[in-house]
C-alpha cells in the first residue's frame, strides 16, 4: 500500500486506536514528542499512521527503535510517503504548510481503517487517547467527524472577522485535532456549492479547492470548514479542552471546559513550543520531551512541570496553572494506581 511499512513488536490481532500525523520539514522532534505523550498515558493499543517526507522516514525508524520495549509493545506504526490521489500534487503540497493537505486524503489512503484520530505535529496528549476515542460512540447517525471550534468568542475569532469563504458555525472549526469515522466519510455523498447532487469526499476535494483557492488562508482547514458549512449535520463539535490553544488563555481565560476539567489535548500552534511567547506551553513540551521513559511520572514529569510553571505566572496563560495541571495530575494518578495494582496482584499470586 503506497510503499507503507509496518513495524510491530507483536501481532496486531487486538483492536487498536488509530492515530495519524503528517510530518514534513523540521517537524521530526515535535512529532516524536506528540507520539510519546500518546504512549505515556494511553491504555488501549495504539496504531500510528505517520505520513512523512522520504528524508524523515529513517529518522523516525531510528528514534522509535530507541524507545524501551515496555512502551514499544503498546503500539505499532506504519510510515507512508506523501501522496495526493486527485489534482496537482505540487499545488496540494504548497497549500498552507508543506504537506498539511495530506490529511484531506486519509479516508482515501487508509481504506482498511474504520475510524481515526488525526492530530497536527504540535499536539500533546495530557490524558489517555482512550478518552477522546470514546467520543466516536457519541456520534449520531449523520455525524462522521469531530472538531473543536476555532474560537470561543465570535468578535475576536479569525473566521468571523476575516474569512472570505463559507465556514462552519459562528467561529469556524480548528482541524488540528480531528476525529474521523472514515467508513462513513467514504460512504457519504456531500452537499456542495459545485453541483446540485452530492459528491463523494474524493470527487469533491479538488474542484472545491479550485473554486475557493484564491480566498483561503489556512489551507486544508479552510476546505474542511467549507465542507462542513454545506454539511453541518455531519460534524460533531467537541469542547475546547480537547484542542486547547494559546488563544484560549492569551487574551484571558475563555475555555470554560478547561477551567472545569483541565486541558485534555494541548495544541501549541503559532510555534509556541519553540519561542518564549507562551512559556506555559513551552514548559509542557519540554517536560514531556525530557522525561526519561522508565522514570517515575510524578518525580520526573509532574514536579519539574510545577517548578517550570512558577516562572510563567507573569503571563496570562501562566496565571491559570491548574487548567494545565488538573488533567495531567488525574491521568498520572490513574497510571500510578494501575501499576501498583498490577504489581501487588503479581506479588499476591506467589
Amino acid at each position: 500500500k503506497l510503499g507503507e511499512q509496518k513495524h510491530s513488536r507483536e501481532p496486531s490481532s487486538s483492536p487498536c486506536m488509530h492515530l495519524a500525523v503528517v510530518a514534513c520539514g523540521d517537524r521530526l522532534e515535535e512529532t516524536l514528542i506528540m507520539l510519546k505523550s500518546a504512549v505515556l498515558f494511553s491504555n488501549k493499543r495504539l496504531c500510528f499512521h505517520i505520513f512523512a517526507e522520504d528524508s524523515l522516514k529513517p529518522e523516525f525508524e531510528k528514534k522509535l527503535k530507541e524507545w524501551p520495549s515496555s512502551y514499544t509493545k503498546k503500539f505499532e506504526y506504519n510510515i507512508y510517503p506523501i501522496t495526493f490521489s486527485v489534482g496537482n500534487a505540487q499545488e496540494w503540497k504548497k497549500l498552507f504548510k508543506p504537506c498539511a493537505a495530506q490529511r484531506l486524503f486519509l479516508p482515501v489512503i487508509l481504506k482498511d481503517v474504520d475510524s481515526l484520530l488525526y492530530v497536527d505535529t504540535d499536539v500533546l496528549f495530557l490524558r489517555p487517547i482512550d478518552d477522546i476515542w470514546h467520543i466516536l460512540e457519541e456520534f449520531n447517525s449523520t455525524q462522521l467527524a469531530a472538531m473543536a471550534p476555532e474560537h470561543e468568542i465570535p468578535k475576536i475569532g479569525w473566521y468571523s472577522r476575516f474569512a472570505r469563504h463559507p465556514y462552519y458555525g459562528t467561529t469556524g472549526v480548528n482541524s488540528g485535532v480531528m476525529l474521523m469515522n472514515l467508513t462513513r466519510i467514504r460512504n457519504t455523498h456531500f452537499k456542495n456549492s459545485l453541483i446540485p447532487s452530492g459528491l463523494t469526499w474524493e470527487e469533491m476535494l479538488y474542484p472545491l479547492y479550485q473554486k475557493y483557492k484564491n480566498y483561503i488562508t489556512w489551507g486544508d482547514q479552510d476546505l474542511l470548514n467549507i465542507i462542513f458549512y454545506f454539511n453541518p449535520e455531519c460534524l460533531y463539535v467537541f469542547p475546547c479542552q480537547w484542542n486547547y490553544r494559546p488563544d484560549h488563555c492569551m487574551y484571558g481565560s475563555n475555555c470554560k471546559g478547561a477551567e472545569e476539567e483541565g486541558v485534555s489535548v494541548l495544541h501549541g500552534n503559532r510555534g509556541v513550543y519553540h519561542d518564549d511567547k507562551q512559556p506555559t506551553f513551552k514548559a509542557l513540551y519540554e517536560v514531556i520531551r525530557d522525561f526519561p521513559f522508565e522514570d517515575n511520572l510524578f518525580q520526573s514529569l509532574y514536579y519539574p512541570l510545577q517548578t517550570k510553571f512558577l516562572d510563567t505566572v507573569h503571563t496570562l496563560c501562566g496565571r491559570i496553572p491548574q487548567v494545565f495541571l488538573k488533567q495531567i495530575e488525574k491521568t498520572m494518578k490513574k497510571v500510578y494506581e494501575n501499576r501498583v495494582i498490577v504489581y501487588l496482584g503479581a506479588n499476591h499470586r506467589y
Side-chain angles (χ1 to χ4, degrees):
K1 265 192 248 172
L2 295 166
E4 125 197 8
Q5 286 205 331
K6 183 175 274 196
H7 303 260
S8 175
R9 293 291 176 107
E10 55 188 64
S12 57
S13 53
S14 54
C16 66
M17 301 178 291
H18 294 270
L19 178 68
V21 65
V22 180
C24 285
D26 58 0
R27 298 300 180 110
L28 176 79
E29 183 193 76
E30 227 176 53
T31 308
L32 287 163
I33 309 308
M34 179 277 289
L35 297 173
K36 183 179 183 181
S37 73
V39 171
L40 277 179
F41 301 130
S42 292
N43 304 312
K44 224 165 103 179
R45 185 172 180 76
L46 291 158
C47 286
F48 296 146
H49 301 273
I50 303 165
F51 290 81
E53 287 175 309
D54 295 343
S55 58
L56 293 181
K57 189 180 165 190
E59 288 296 308
F60 273 114
E61 290 176 340
K62 178 173 170 273
K63 295 286 183 192
L64 290 168
K65 276 190 187 120
E66 290 168 5
W67 290 9
S69 62
S70 56
Y71 285 93
T72 55
K73 69 182 182 191
K74 291 173 71 176
F75 68 90
E76 61 185 61
Y77 68 96
N78 300 330
I79 300 180
Y80 309 78
I82 304 293
T83 50
F84 304 100
S85 63
V86 290
N88 181 318
Q90 289 316 91
E91 265 188 294
W92 285 122
K93 261 188 184 161
K94 288 188 198 122
L95 183 63
F96 192 44
K97 287 182 185 159
C99 312
Q102 181 71 72
R103 88 180 86 182
L104 297 170
F105 294 88
L106 297 177
V108 182
I109 296 167
L110 301 173
K111 287 190 183 349
D112 299 332
V113 176
D114 174 60
S115 294
L116 177 85
L117 176 63
Y118 164 86
V119 293
D120 284 348
T121 58
D122 52 10
V123 157
L124 292 170
F125 294 97
L126 306 187
R127 68 190 282 182
I129 287 187
D130 310 59
D131 298 338
I132 194 169
W133 194 254
H134 288 315
I135 292 175
L136 286 163
E137 295 160 19
E138 295 175 25
F139 283 15
N140 67 23
S141 60
T142 60
Q143 288 164 339
L144 44 76
M147 287 185 271
E150 171 63 21
H151 217 287
E152 302 305 301
I153 304 163
K155 68 171 186 250
I156 54 173
W158 192 90
Y159 283 106
S160 37
R161 289 187 297 159
F162 304 119
R164 295 185 296 146
H165 59 77
Y167 57 89
Y168 179 89
T170 52
T171 60
V173 279
N174 182 283
S175 60
V177 180
M178 185 176 177
L179 198 56
M180 293 183 267
N181 183 320
L182 299 184
T183 305
R184 285 188 180 182
I185 291 174
R186 286 187 286 264
N187 293 338
T188 298
H189 279 74
F190 293 86
K191 297 190 286 295
N192 58 83
S193 59
L194 305 162
I195 60 168
S197 59
L199 290 170
T200 66
W201 186 266
E202 193 175 13
E203 287 168 343
M204 178 174 55
L205 288 178
Y206 195 61
L208 207 59
Y209 165 65
Q210 286 296 334
K211 179 169 180 178
Y212 291 104
K213 66 180 177 183
N214 296 326
Y215 305 99
I216 58 181
T217 305
W218 307 112
D220 47 306
Q221 177 172 294
D222 290 348
L223 285 177
L224 289 164
N225 267 284
I226 294 164
I227 290 168
F228 290 111
Y229 167 83
F230 289 108
N231 300 270
E233 72 288 352
C234 293
L235 191 67
Y236 177 106
V237 179
F238 49 59
C240 47
Q241 66 265 31
W242 293 105
N243 185 346
Y244 190 91
R245 283 156 278 131
D247 282 4
H248 289 120
C249 53
M250 62 194 275
Y251 309 112
S253 183
N254 61 44
C255 174
K256 292 282 174 282
E259 286 170 24
E260 288 160 18
E261 285 184 30
V263 175
S264 297
V265 179
L266 192 77
H267 184 183
N269 63 346
R270 304 171 188 260
V272 292
Y273 297 147
H274 313 293
D275 61 29
D276 296 315
K277 288 180 184 154
Q278 298 298 337
T280 333
F281 282 75
K282 191 179 183 181
L284 267 155
Y285 178 80
E286 289 178 346
V287 164
I288 293 173
R289 180 194 66 195
D290 299 340
F291 173 70
F293 272 105
E294 306 281 25
D295 273 23
N296 177 291
L297 280 165
F298 277 103
Q299 217 168 333
S300 303
L301 200 148
Y302 188 67
Y303 298 137
L305 195 54
Q306 283 185 311
T307 309
K308 274 183 185 269
F309 273 9
L310 290 174
D311 298 331
T312 74
V313 290
H314 62 286
T315 66
L316 277 168
C317 294
R319 281 184 206 168
I320 46 169
Q322 70 287 357
V323 165
F324 295 90
L325 292 169
K326 194 181 281 188
Q327 199 52 247
I328 203 167
E329 184 182 1
K330 200 171 152 186
T331 299
M332 285 194 291
K333 276 184 176 154
K334 269 191 194 156
V335 170
Y336 179 72
E337 281 163 14
N338 289 345
R339 282 186 190 159
V340 168
I341 290 161
V342 168
Y343 177 75
L344 288 175
N347 283 344
H348 199 63
R349 286 202 295 272
Y350 299 104

